[in-house]
Every structure is written in C-alpha cells, then in structure tokens.
Amino acid sequence: MGIVNISKLDISYESTKIVKQLDLVIDDGEFLVLLGPSGCGKSTLLNAIGGLIDTSGGSIHFDGKDVTWADPKDRGIGMVFQSYALYPTMSVEKNMSFGLRIAGVDKATIDKKVAWAAKLLQLEPLLKRKPSALSGGQRQRVAIGRALVRDADIYLFDEPLSNLDAKLRAELRLEIKKLHKTLKSTMIYVTHDQIEALTLADRIAVMKDGIIQQLDTPHNVYNKPQNLFVATFLGSPAMNCIKGHLSVHADKVLFKSADLNIDVSGYPFVEQPVDGAAVTLGVRPEHLIAELNEDASENVIQGVVELVEPMGSDTLVWTKFTEQHTLSHRVTSEDQLSVGDSFKVKVEATKCSIFDTQLTQRL
Ligand SMILES: Nc1ncnc2c1ncn2[C@@H]1O[C@H](COP(=O)(O)OP(=O)(O)OP(=O)(O)O)[C@@H](O)[C@H]1O
Ligand SMILES: [Mg+2]
C-alpha cells in the first residue's frame, strides 16, 4: 500500500516559510505530479515526504502510520534526487545495488533485483561500466534503477529527466509511464515541465509560493484552471488574457472590453454572473478558430496579422483585432498567412475561462 496523507504541513528555512499549511492526500498507486515554477517549494516538499528535511508543523502519514519524524530508511520509499549523484568508482551494477548491500540483503536477491531493473530500464549491456563511460540519459536511468531496486510502495522522483535532450526526455517519459503501469506503486514526481506533468500524471498539484493552487486531473488543470496563475502557467504558447467586464441582459451575457463584445451566455458560470463585474477572459490560442464562412457573425472577430511564428506542426499567429487587443491563435501549417493579411476568428465561448479580475479566481 502507498497512501500518503499530508496535513497542515509547514516547512521553513530559518525564518522563511517555504511550504505553508499544505494539505495533500495521494491515493495508493496514484501518479501525482508536483508542478510549479522554480523556487516554489517542490523539492522541499518532496524531501520532507522522503524524510530528508525536518518539518516545522503538521504531519505526514503513510498508510495511516505517522512518519513525520521517521528516518528516511524506515519510510519504505525509493527516491531519485534532482542532482542524482552516482558513485564514480562503482560500476552500474554496484551503483544500483548499493542500498541493498548496505541494508544487508542477500546476494541472490540483490542479483535478481538488479537484473530485473536493468531489463526494465534497458541497462543490461551497461552493467559493468563506470558512470564516466555512460551518456547523461544512461546515468539518469541508473539513478532511476537505484531507486527501483528498493522495492518500495512509494517512489519519489525529483526532475529525473531534467538533464536530457528533448528526444531522450520523451523516450524516458514513456518508460516511466510504462514502469508505473507495471509496478502500480504510488509515484510522486516533481517537474516544472508541463508536458511531463500533463502526460504522466493521474493528478497534478500546481504549486506557487509553497501553496497548492489546484489539485486536479491534467484535463481539468488545463481546461478548467481555477485561477489566473494556473491558467497562465500551463499552456505554451500562453493563454490570452483579456481584461473587461460582464454585461448581463435578460437573454444573454456579454463580455465587453473596449470595442470587443463576446457573447458568453453559453459559459458555465458557477454562480449567477453579476452585471458590471470586472473579469478577465482567458482564451487559449487553439480556441480562436479560423472562420472561413463570410456570413458568420456570432463571436466572430476580424483583425490584421502582425506576426507569424511557424512551430512545425502548426503556426502561431499574432493578430491585432482592435487597438487594444492583439491575440495569439493557432492555424495549421498549411494556412499561408502573412503579416498584413486580414483574418477572421471565432471565439469559442464555452471553451474560455472567465476569472474575477481582482480575486483572480475562476467564475
Ligand atoms: N537549504 C536551504 N536553505 C535556505 N533556503 C532554501 C534551502 N533550500 C531551498 N531553499 C529555498 O526554498 C525555496 C524552495 O526551494 P525548492 O528547492 O523547494 O524549489 P523548487 O520548487 O524545487 O525549484 P526548482 O524547480 O528550481 O528545483 C527557494 O526559494 C529556495 O531558495
Ligand atoms: Mg527542485
């Protein structure tokens, strides 16, 4: 079993509070990703779960057992550190088995486990080599292997793919996903790479300044961000954020911003929309759809292309729709758009996000 229950956790370095009153329950077998900008406290939280640093308040339970002050070796965890250090004088095999040898596990068991991990991580041909004779990706896999042979209920990964090129990252990402399917252990995975978070996680905890901003499925975190921070942190290129206000009528609700009017009647407001409320409309670039029908008018806006950025599979276009509104939108790479072209898009109101501008919370 690997249920992790974190309650009202505080962690401080000297007088600076890094993690604040943090509550988080992680299910047995769940793949939870901690995602957030550099310095928000991800490693600090992970290290506290692993028992590497002291907490200043609150508690951590594994399967109902209080481990807040337990020694790391008594927590039944496997851990891959952000700065994974391999022993340079030991072979891959010895690096992987080090923890088990220290723990006095018998040789037959060690051999079996190392062979299993080496097969899983495709390290079999490299077992006799020293770390200096490995590529960065191979070293990183050895660090993962060293954690896996621990046979833990809970694995902690701190940016295990951070030093790899994009191709290797994608390959190892897939391996980690497969590994999770095979092992069915609880995995807590730190990253500031949103693609890693979105592809791997069962749930993502988006952190800022030591506080979880949203804990949800990848789909909801991306499509239903609960505040402006989450909305703008996820998504590349970023969501367009337009400040304006609501205009509530008997038969419809409009979003108004200077001379831009968007009918948002179809938007699933959580509470009754208030006339005149200052709001920010968030529209992802892929939700401004090219409108080719000349007669279409509802939520169709027209502008002049200012910048074209080819991105391979598609193209990001910056179009000036009004004096105040230059927005980014995606078109397929076949669409040959040039600066100065006139272009129409339809705003998909149901796919937008609307936030209270002052409170920054989703409405
Ligand atoms: N030993 C320490 N003493 C004092 N402050 C520290 C210490 N370790 C970390 N911090 C501070 O705590 C904050 C959170 O650090 P942490 O390493 O948890 O960030 P992170 O979210 O993992 O960032 P990154 O994505 O860059 O790894 C940072 O402001 C950092 O400077
Ligand atoms: Mg870190």
Side-chain angles (χ1 to χ4, degrees):
M1 289 280 278
I3 301 168
V4 179
N5 193 330
I6 299 167
S7 174
K8 305 257 173 298
L9 197 71
D10 283 318
I11 308 170
S12 302
Y13 289 121
E14 285 146 19
S15 59
T16 314
K17 273 198 172 183
I18 305 295
V19 170
K20 298 154 193 163
Q21 291 284 298
L22 188 134
D23 291 321
L24 178 60
V25 178
I26 304 163
D27 285 338
D28 183 36
E30 183 171 14
F31 201 123
L32 184 107
V33 170
L34 298 172
L35 175 72
S38 187
C40 72
K42 306 180 295 295
S43 296
T44 303
L45 175 59
L46 200 75
N47 289 341
I49 298 171
L52 303 177
I53 54 170
D54 287 344
T55 56
S56 44
S59 65
I60 303 171
H61 287 76
F62 290 171
D63 295 328
K65 187 174 157 227
D66 191 341
V67 296
T68 316
W69 297 103
D71 210 63
K73 69 171 170 32
D74 300 328
R75 294 192 183 205
I77 48 158
M79 187 155 186
V80 182
F81 301 100
Q82 187 163 12
S83 54
Y84 58 97
L86 301 179
Y87 301 104
T89 57
M90 290 183 199
S91 65
V92 166
E93 191 174 20
K94 290 273 185 285
N95 260 289
M96 290 215 286
S97 61
F98 183 75
L100 298 178
R101 284 185 283 127
I102 292 293
V105 176
D106 64 276
K107 185 166 179 322
T109 308
I110 292 177
D111 289 349
K112 216 168 98 190
K113 288 207 179 254
V114 170
W116 165 80
K119 183 157 191 278
L120 207 59
L121 294 160
Q122 296 169 29
L123 289 168
E124 283 163 314
L126 308 172
L127 283 172
K128 299 291 174 212
R129 287 207 207 160
K130 298 270 167 63
S132 59
L134 300 175
S135 75
Q138 291 164 340
R139 276 179 226 173
Q140 206 131 32
R141 271 184 277 163
V142 177
I144 295 171
R146 189 170 56 182
L148 292 183
V149 296
R150 293 291 310 272
D151 210 7
D153 290 330
I154 302 164
Y155 291 98
L156 310 178
F157 294 97
D158 196 348
E159 313 228 20
L161 310 182
S162 54
N163 301 323
L164 308 179
D165 66 55
K167 184 164 175 285
L168 206 50
R169 263 184 111 107
E171 277 172 28
L172 276 189
R173 201 170 68 209
L174 203 67
E175 280 184 36
I176 290 178
K177 191 153 183 145
K178 283 193 217 152
L179 218 108
H180 179 243
K181 280 211 156 47
T182 312
L183 297 177
K184 299 188 173 65
S185 317
T186 304
M187 293 193 173
I188 309 176
Y189 188 105
V190 164
T191 184
H192 56 246
D193 182 316
Q194 45 177 300
I195 301 298
E196 244 167 71
L198 292 167
T199 52
L200 287 172
D202 291 321
R203 283 189 306 163
I204 301 174
V206 185
M207 284 180 75
K208 179 187 168 227
D209 298 336
I211 294 169
I212 294 177
Q213 305 289 310
Q214 185 169 356
L215 174 64
D216 217 327
T217 60
H219 180 272
N220 283 350
V221 164
Y222 187 80
N223 293 294
K224 291 190 168 52
Q226 286 308 303
N227 62 35
L228 274 167
F229 173 79
V230 177
T232 50
F233 187 72
L234 272 113
S236 174
M239 181 183 262
N240 295 290
C241 289
I242 313 165
K243 283 188 183 165
H245 68 272
L246 292 178
S247 177
V248 180
H249 302 260
D251 56 340
K252 62 184 170 188
V253 182
L254 297 178
F255 168 80
K256 293 187 167 204
S257 172
D259 33 6
L260 199 67
N261 283 303
I262 312 283
D263 188 332
V264 292
S265 305
Y267 180 82
F269 284 100
V270 180
E271 285 171 34
Q272 205 62 15
V274 177
D275 188 45
V279 299
T280 299
L281 182 76
V283 195
R284 296 221 179 266
E286 62 269 31
H287 296 146
L288 289 171
I289 315 283
E291 181 59 73
L292 303 174
N293 180 358
E294 282 299 317
D295 301 328
S297 61
E298 198 196 333
N299 283 354
V300 173
I301 53 177
Q302 182 162 10
V304 176
V305 173
E306 286 208 321
L307 193 71
V308 179
E309 293 183 290
M311 299 178 78
S313 59
D314 55 12
T315 300
L316 188 70
V317 181
W318 293 85
T319 299
K320 185 171 183 171
F321 290 103
T322 78
E323 205 47 51
Q324 289 90 351
H325 303 106
T326 298
L327 308 177
S328 66
H329 56 100
R330 287 175 188 273
V331 298
T332 65
S333 51
E334 283 89 54
D335 287 314
Q336 297 292 327
L337 279 180
S338 305
V339 172
D341 284 353
S342 178
F343 198 68
K344 276 184 182 175
V345 295
K346 183 177 170 68
V347 183
E348 290 261 352
T350 51
K351 291 186 175 161
C352 290
S353 292
I354 300 178
F355 303 96
D356 179 312
T357 298
Q358 208 180 359
L359 300 175
T360 81
Q361 296 299 315
R362 185 185 186 86
L363 292 175

